[in-house]
Structure formats: structure tokens, C-alpha cells
Amino acid sequence: MTRTRQLALLWAVVVCLLLGHNAYLWLVQRIVPNTDIMALLPVQERDPVLQQSFSHMVDAAQQRVIVLVGAADWEDAKRAADAYSAVLAPRKDLFDAAPIDEKTQNDWLSLFQRHSLTLLTAQQEAQLRGQPSQFWLETALGKLYGSFGGPKLGSWQQDPFGLFAGWVQERAQETPVRPRDGHLFVAGAERQYVLLVLTLKVPALSMTAQETVLPLLERAGDAARKAVPQVELVRAGVILHAANASAQASGEVSTIGIGSLLGIVLLMWFAFHSFKPISLILLSIGIGFLGALSVCWLMFGQIHLMTLVFGASLIGVAQDYGIYFLSNRLAAGETLDSPALLKRLLPGLCLTLLAAVIGYMGLALTPFPGLRQMAVFSALGLVFAWLTVAFWFPALIGARALKSGGLVRVYGDALRHWPVLRLNAATLAAAVVFALAAGYGISRLGANDDIRLLQNPPKHLIDDQIKLSKLLDAPTPVQYFLVRGESAEVVLQREEALKAKLDTLIATSGITGYQAVSNWVPSARAQAERRALVEQKLLADDGPLQGLAKQTGEDAQWIAATRAGLLAAGAPLTPDDFLKSPASEPSRHLWLGETGGVHASIVALRGLGRAAVPEVMRAADGLHGVQWVDKVAEISSVLGRYRENMSWVVLGAYALVFAMLFPRYRGRTWRVLAPTALASVATLAVLGFASQNLQLFHVLALLLLLGVGVDYGIFMQERPDNRGGAAWLAVGMSASNTFLSFGLLGLSKTPALQAFGLTMLLGIALAWLIVPCFGTIKESKHD
């Protein structure tokens, strides 16, 4: 058995293992691609507390679906909401909706009633310090005899001065949502809304959950519209965005993958007029995908959907090796058998693989877990496709000559009309014009590192999110204050110091409010001071309580009983007690507890506009342990920093590839790299003339362009004196397929992928146009 057959059989065993593993993954384990957009973002490894705070904010919202059911009439809104809920009610396995009834409200209040003496608003505390006894006497009498003295929480004797009722009222101002007729109610300008808060019992980022939950929500919406035709439904939730991203990515995988394959099939048919070369190219690409998926799954334990979208563009690169071999097989005819041909082509093929892998591995230097996975997936796909060409193509083709189609002759003739660069005045003039034009175009480039370029949700989801945020006055999960301290008590004290500054911003309309655990659980120091203040100002022997008894005709026994009842509710409230109660459910994500040796919490802001951010940020100045967190700005800053760093990596990659190529090409090495380098510069100039803003994904595309474009230089320099033939055919077919695959990636609705695809599309086209100008020059004695 020849060595060629031995290698082919060995590779057949590997391919069988890949087929078995992929069958197991899809049919038995039933893998589901990850659709979490957060998996693509940088991981903040330097500050685990900061990373945990962001996770708390995101996770709190991730499993919730918020629905507003609105109508001009409250009764209509209730009827539509009941119809909506009736559809979801049987699916207890999917949704958890807490009842809104009197028992629920009493459960919320019971904890705070036991500690009511220590719970005061800032205004009440100021009044206790500044108002005379007569003020409090009149306040208590007004609550006893007035037609409306505010909400009644228990008997008058339990809260004669209305302190606890006032504190509860202030807590209620943290949200415009109110209980009404067994529903949660919020009022808009023209409509009244029932608020439905649905907690998912299944992972929001699971495609299986999305396929189950989304149709159910649509049926619930249809039921609401049937009950009240004029009903308005406003929805928001991570699962809605995840489902949209999944559908968008799935569609793009199909478009890019099928489009690329069709392009390859058509070009191969026009070139070879035979199905055998087509089937061989598709075979190498298929095995590349199988190998990349298997190894990536073993390495990462999951596969991201964006990896599959990006991997679909791999089709335009993985076919280079097979096309190069087949083009040379066509040119060799029957003068050289396939094993001998492979031996002659192997040095160039090895260099093309190494250059491409260097380009893809450059992506792995970014701080994005998703991009790292894409890079590994693509590099592995190229390796498996390359090995398929090396091990199977010689055995499957043998010594038989391939047919030549009309495209080969027409395309080969075109090379004779291509300009060839020589050291003369015309070349020098062209170089000067190119340098001036490129310099001006690049000078027009701006920069935009906004993280929001990673996603592009549809307008209706954005509109619903904006409307819901305004109606509910909800805080943003990506801009907040992180408060740290050596103990829970220190954290609460620092929260209180921060809130004192934020109160001034509320007065100047910088924000509409804030959410913090210290709103519900004051620091132990503050509770002790407030208890002492109440005892001194209200419960002293000559204080308002004594005067109140005289005014109402009560005796000493009543005074003693009332004082004892009030003092019994003076035990300090702790964060642990609060977090165990039902009342803490909306605020639990704000308390991080002990992590990394410190205690930490979050102060979230309501009504924060972009214009107010600089002023709000300054609230942390001078406060030890208080940090402003703006996750969008932080990650955007990381993107900008890596855009600059990766620009140097691109230059370093050129130096590395040059060093790798030099032992083989010596004085011709610059000609291998020059077409890709000039194409990269021209691409940046074109983007500048188009008034594009440069972002990290443009730079990453330039890195990959090096790995792909250098193939064309290698192909041409393997036969520098060949003005027609195999090298030029391989370059043209490879460039056409790569152009098609990345051109389709440029149609992606995800702005980052679109920028990546557009850069590759321009770069590949320009590299193809430029490479003959260098690859067809014969060596001079000065090289």
C-alpha cells in the first residue's frame, strides 16, 4: 500500500470519528447554540466585585418579561389584562406571576412595622429636630380627627404621629406603580395600564425556551386584542431581544452559507465543467466545519450562534487550498501525477495555512470570549480543510487530467492586459498619486467604539423599551454607583452619604430618584440616632405624647401602653432580615453582600439622561468606597483601547509573516506581502472617503485580510514567471469565493459584522486587482 493510500485511510478514520461526534452532539445531546450577546463582551477580570455588580444588574432583568396592557378606560385595561393572563395561567412550568392581593401587601409591611420607630424620612428627621412640640401635637390630632390624614397602616395608636405612614409613602414614590383592584396599575398620558410582571422559570437565552415562550406570548396578545380591540401592548424582556437575535443570526447563517456554496459551485462548474472538483471542494469545506465544531465544543463546552454566523464566511477561505491544488492539477495535465504534484505544492500550501491561521489567531488576542471562539473555530476549520486536501485529493484525483472550462481561457487571457509595475516614471507617478489619495482618505477617518454597535435590535423593541422605561421610571442597568466597605454597616453609611449628594441632583432635575437598600434599611448608626430622636422629641414625659393624652382625655395607662408599643418597634433592622422578607424582592439585586473580602451594594438611578451623566458622576467625588460605573462607556473604552492595540498587532503580524516567508522567497518576500498591504491601506482610504468611523472590527478585518490576502501573493510567487496558468486561476477563483462570502457577511444586520464584512470585501477585491502587478514581475538581479 502506497504512502498516499495510507494517509488517505488514516484521514478517513479521523473523519468517521468527526461524523460520529457531530451526530452525537446534534441527535443525542441536542446542542443549542448560545445566543447571549453578553458572551461577546469583555470580561472584567481585574475587578471581580465590579463584574459581579454588573451581573447582578443584568441577571435581575434577564428572567423577567414586563408587559403593559393599556386602554383609555381602566375597566377595558383590566379585561384585556385578564384575557392575556388567562392564556399564560396554565403554563406554571414557564411563568411565575406573584398575586397582587391584600395578603401580599400585608406581608410586605409586616417586617417594617416591627421596626417602624427607626424608619424616618429625611424630611421627618429634619422636622423632629426643628419643629416644636405643638407641631407634632397638631399633626397627631389631625390624623385622628381629619377626614384624610394619609394612608392608615394599622390603628392610630400604633402610629399617632404618622411617621411610619410617611415613610411608607416615600418608599412608594420610588415607583409610579400602584396596586388597584387586584392588579398593578400605572397611568400614562392618554391610557391606563395594567402591569404584568412575568418571571421565567426557563433560561431566557435558551433557544428552546424562546421557541416555546414567544408563541405563547403572541397568543396571549391575540387574546387581549380580541377582548379589547383597541388595547395597547408594550413588552420588554431579554428573551424578546434574544429571540430576535437568534432569528436574525439563523437567517444570516443560511444566507451567507448557502450563498457562498452556490457561488463556489457555479464558479467551479464554469472552470472545470465537472462535478468531481465541485464535490471535492465541498467535501473539504464540510470536513472543516465538522472538525471545527467538534473541537470547539470539546474546548468551550458550548458554541455561540455568532460563531456559526462568522463561521459561515469560512467557506470563502477554506476552499483556497483545494482550488490551488485543482488549478495546478489542471495545468499539469498528465505530465505529473497527483502525489508528485502535492509534493511540489506542499511548501506553498503550508505557508498559506500558516498565514491564515496567524490572521485568525490575532482575533484571539482580543478580550472578547465570543471573538476568541470565532477565531479558534475558523482556524480549526482551515486546518481540517487543509488536511483533507493534503490527505485525500491526491488519492481521489490520481493521475487523470481535469477538464478545462471556458472561464479558464477567458480569465487567463485577461492577465495579458494587466499592468505590470516596473521601476519607471509611470510607476513612480502612480505611487505618488496613491500615497496622496490614501493619506487624504485615511485622514478623514473618524472613530466610533460604541459597544451598542454589537447589536441592532428592531425599532419596535427599542420603542417598547423606551416607553416602558418612561412609564415605570425604571433605572438603567448599565449606569449606577458601586459602594464598597469593610462591613455591611460601612456600606450603608456610605450609601447614605452618597444619597445626600444625589438629593441635590433630584432638586435640579439631574435625576428623578434612586434605588438603594439603605432606602429600606438605614445604617445601624442612623437607626440608633432616629430612635433616640423620636424618644427625645415625641415620647419624653413632657413631650407631644403627654399633651396628646390630655387633649384626647386618655389616662397614664394609655400613655404607657402607647409608649411601650412604639418602643417595641425600635429594634434595629438588618440587611439580612430585609433580604429574607418578600418586600426585598425588587431590591435584592442591589445588595452584593460579601464578595472578594469586602461588602458591596449598588445605588441605581432613575430618570438619568445623557446630558446629566457628567454632573451625576461627580457625586462620587470625595466619597471613599463609592465608584461610578458606566458599563457602556467602560466597554466602549476597552474597544477603543483594543482598536489602537490591535493596529500595532496588525503591523506585528506583517513582520511575523515576512519572517516566516523570507527563508523561501528571499528577495521576493516583499512582493508576496505588498498586494495585501496596499489593499489594506486603500481599504482604509475608501472607508475614509465614505465618511466611515473606524472601529475595532475594521482593524480585526485588516488582520484577517493579511491571513487571506497573502495566499494570493504566495500563489503567484510560487511561479513568478508564469503569466497565465494555475497560479492566476487559483487567485481568481479563491478571491471570487472569498469576496462572495465576506460580501454576504457585509449584508449582516449586526453593525459589527457588517463592518467586518465590508472591510474584507473591499480588501479582497483590491488585493486581487493588485497582486498580478507584483506576482508577474520576473526576478531582477537586484532582488
Side-chain angles (χ1 to χ4, degrees):
M1 184 182 292
T2 64
R3 183 175 180 82
T4 299
R5 288 186 176 275
Q6 289 176 339
L7 291 174
L9 288 175
L10 177 62
W11 190 240
V13 173
V14 174
V15 172
C16 287
L17 293 174
L18 291 178
L19 286 170
H21 186 241
N22 273 265
Y24 167 77
L25 289 178
W26 291 105
L27 301 178
V28 179
Q29 191 165 343
R30 298 183 65 83
I31 63 174
V32 176
N34 181 11
T35 61
D36 184 7
I37 193 67
M38 302 309 297
L40 301 177
L41 303 184
V43 177
Q44 177 59 268
E45 297 174 348
R46 295 168 299 168
D47 193 340
V49 179
L50 179 59
Q51 180 61 28
Q52 185 180 348
S53 72
F54 184 58
S55 298
H56 263 242
M57 292 294 282
V58 172
D59 293 346
Q62 184 167 288
Q63 290 301 108
R64 284 185 177 173
V65 177
I66 308 297
V67 182
L68 288 176
V69 183
D73 181 73
W74 172 242
E75 294 300 323
D76 286 343
K78 283 197 303 178
R79 188 164 66 255
D82 290 340
Y84 194 102
S85 300
V87 176
L88 306 181
R91 297 306 305 267
K92 302 291 186 184
D93 57 320
L94 296 178
F95 298 102
D96 182 18
I100 306 300
D101 52 28
E102 188 174 346
K103 180 181 183 304
T104 304
Q105 297 176 50
N106 290 336
D107 289 342
W108 277 52
L109 290 172
S110 61
L111 171 71
F112 302 112
Q113 285 175 324
R114 296 196 298 270
H115 303 274
S116 58
L117 195 66
T118 65
L119 303 176
L120 299 176
T121 69
Q123 182 183 15
Q124 289 171 341
E125 190 171 355
Q127 288 174 335
L128 282 169
R129 297 183 187 281
Q131 294 292 346
S133 295
Q134 186 63 29
F135 171 85
W136 293 105
L137 178 59
E138 292 173 358
T139 298
L141 292 172
K143 290 187 176 298
L144 177 61
Y145 298 118
S147 58
F148 180 75
K152 299 293 193 298
L153 304 175
S155 67
W156 173 79
Q157 188 175 358
Q158 291 176 312
D159 186 27
F161 302 101
L163 297 178
F164 181 59
W167 180 85
V168 170
Q169 271 192 300
E170 186 178 85
R171 300 287 68 73
Q173 297 306 314
E174 292 190 14
T175 174
V177 179
R178 299 287 182 268
R180 181 178 178 184
D181 299 338
H183 296 78
L184 290 177
F185 159 78
V186 62
E190 299 177 352
R191 295 175 181 265
Q192 301 185 68
Y193 295 89
V194 174
L195 171 64
L196 302 177
V197 181
L198 309 172
T199 302
L200 294 173
K201 293 184 177 180
V202 292
L205 302 176
S206 162
M207 289 184 68
T208 304
Q210 294 162 20
E211 291 169 358
T212 305
V213 170
L214 268 295
L216 191 60
L217 292 177
E218 290 300 326
R219 289 203 301 273
D222 292 341
R225 281 184 282 268
K226 184 177 180 180
V228 181
Q230 68 273 24
V231 70
E232 179 188 11
L233 298 176
V234 182
R235 303 186 309 175
V238 170
I239 193 170
L240 303 178
H241 291 268
N244 174 75
S246 300
Q248 177 179 306
S250 299
E252 290 176 1
V253 167
S254 301
T255 301
I256 295 168
I258 295 174
S260 299
L261 286 174
L262 287 176
I264 289 174
V265 169
L266 289 173
L267 282 170
M268 293 292 291
W269 174 257
F270 288 134
F272 297 106
H273 271 270
S274 171
F275 285 109
K276 187 171 185 178
I278 296 173
S279 61
L280 288 175
I281 292 294
L282 297 181
L283 179 67
S284 66
I285 292 171
I287 293 173
F289 265 88
L290 292 177
L293 183 60
S294 285
V295 178
C296 269
W297 187 268
L298 293 173
M299 291 177 64
F300 299 104
Q302 54 90 28
I303 198 83
H304 199 282
L305 193 59
M306 293 301 291
T307 298
L308 298 181
V309 175
F310 187 81
S313 66
L314 176 65
I315 294 172
V317 184
Q319 41 79 38
D320 282 9
Y321 316 121
I323 285 178
Y324 184 52
F325 182 87
L326 292 173
S327 298
N328 281 275
R329 175 70 268 176
L330 178 66
E334 297 183 358
T335 61
L336 199 65
D337 64 11
S338 292
L341 176 64
L342 178 67
K343 186 175 181 180
R344 194 183 78 182
L345 299 178
L346 202 56
L349 279 172
C350 288
L351 290 175
T352 59
L353 176 64
L354 285 174
V357 169
I358 287 173
Y360 275 112
M361 285 299 96
L363 301 181
L365 298 177
T366 65
F368 302 90
L371 282 180
R372 290 173 187 165
Q373 191 183 93
M374 292 179 194
V376 172
F377 183 94
S378 299
L380 287 169
L382 294 183
V383 170
F384 279 95
W386 189 95
L387 291 172
T388 302
V389 171
F391 289 161
W392 274 5
F393 277 36
L396 293 174
I397 295 176
R400 287 172 292 180
L402 296 175
K403 295 179 182 179
S404 174
L407 177 65
V408 174
R409 291 186 296 275
V410 174
Y411 180 70
D413 291 341
L415 187 59
R416 287 198 290 269
H417 306 290
W418 228 272
V420 178
L421 295 180
R422 302 183 186 281
L423 190 57
N424 53 32
T427 300
L428 183 60
V432 171
V433 171
F434 176 83
L436 292 174
Y440 178 70
I442 292 174
S443 69
R444 289 170 52 88
L445 277 173
N448 186 357
D449 302 302
D450 196 328
I451 186 60
R452 284 165 286 205
L453 293 176
L454 277 178
Q455 55 185 339
N456 185 27
K459 186 176 183 299
H460 73 273
L461 286 181
I462 297 176
D463 290 343
D464 277 5
Q465 186 71 54
I466 292 173
K467 184 165 189 175
L468 189 141
S469 296
K470 288 182 177 178
L471 285 170
L472 301 184
D473 195 18
T476 170
V478 294
Q479 293 171 307
Y480 54 87
F481 286 99
L482 176 62
V483 183
R484 309 184 216 207
E486 301 77 27
S487 65
E489 172 64 12
V490 173
V491 169
L492 292 173
Q493 290 181 18
R494 289 175 177 173
E495 277 193 13
E496 290 165 348
L498 172 63
K499 291 192 302 182
K501 287 191 170 185
L502 294 179
D503 287 337
T504 62
L505 294 174
I506 295 175
T508 59
S509 302
I511 56 175
T512 59
Y514 47 76
Q515 294 180 354
V517 170
S518 58
N519 287 356
W520 302 87
V521 186
S523 65
R525 181 181 66 185
Q527 291 186 63
E529 291 174 353
R530 290 169 181 175
R531 172 176 172 144
L533 187 62
V534 171
E535 289 186 35
Q536 176 189 352
K537 297 292 185 177
L538 301 181
L539 307 184
D541 291 340
D542 57 348
L545 184 63
Q546 196 86 11
L548 185 61
K550 292 179 181 178
Q551 289 282 345
T552 57
E554 300 291 349
D555 55 16
Q557 186 176 356
W558 180 89
I559 296 174
T562 302
R563 181 185 287 115
L566 292 173
L567 292 175
L573 175 62
T574 66
D576 288 342
D577 293 335
F578 171 66
L579 294 172
K580 292 174 185 176
S581 73
S584 68
E585 196 277 332
S587 304
R588 284 174 190 156
H589 64 285
L590 300 176
W591 191 255
L592 276 65
E594 185 175 6
T595 178
V598 299
H599 289 73
S601 70
I602 294 166
V603 176
L605 306 175
R606 307 194 325 266
L608 174 63
R610 285 192 181 184
V613 169
E615 185 180 5
V616 171
M617 288 173 56
R618 290 193 289 272
D621 294 349
L623 296 180
H624 186 64
V626 179
Q627 176 185 359
W628 168 250
V629 177
D630 187 337
K631 202 62 178 179
V632 171
E634 176 196 344
I635 299 177
S636 297
S637 174
V638 170
L639 284 174
R641 187 168 67 251
Y642 271 86
R643 173 177 49 79
E644 296 172 358
N645 293 342
M646 292 305 294
S647 300
W648 292 104
V649 170
V650 171
L651 296 177
Y654 269 92
L656 179 61
V657 172
F658 185 92
M660 181 187 72
L661 297 175
F662 187 78
R664 180 164 179 80
Y665 299 108
R666 299 294 177 178
R668 289 183 289 126
T669 305
W670 69 275
R671 292 179 182 157
V672 179
L673 287 175
T676 305
L678 291 175
S680 298
V681 173
T683 297
L684 290 175
V686 171
L687 293 173
F689 282 117
S691 300
Q692 292 287 310
N693 286 317
L694 197 65
Q695 54 173 279
L696 174 63
F697 294 91
H698 289 114
V699 179
L700 295 178
L702 293 178
L703 183 61
L704 183 55
L705 178 61
L706 166 63
V708 176
V710 76
D711 289 1
Y712 309 152
I714 290 173
F715 291 167
M716 297 300 289
Q717 290 302 320
E718 282 295 299
R719 298 290 298 275
D721 58 343
N722 185 3
R723 284 195 55 81
W728 178 234
L729 177 62
V731 168
M733 295 191 65
S734 297
S736 297
N737 290 322
T738 306
F739 182 88
L740 177 61
S741 64
F742 282 102
L744 290 171
L745 190 63
L747 298 177
S748 170
K749 293 181 181 178
T750 303
L753 288 180
Q754 188 181 69
F756 195 102
L758 179 62
T759 306
M760 286 294 295
L761 183 143
L762 290 171
I764 291 297
L766 290 169
W768 171 72
L769 290 171
I770 296 171
V771 73
C773 303
F774 291 88
T776 57
I777 303 176
K778 294 184 180 181
E779 292 185 73
S780 70
K781 61 183 180 180
H782 300 294
D783 283 343

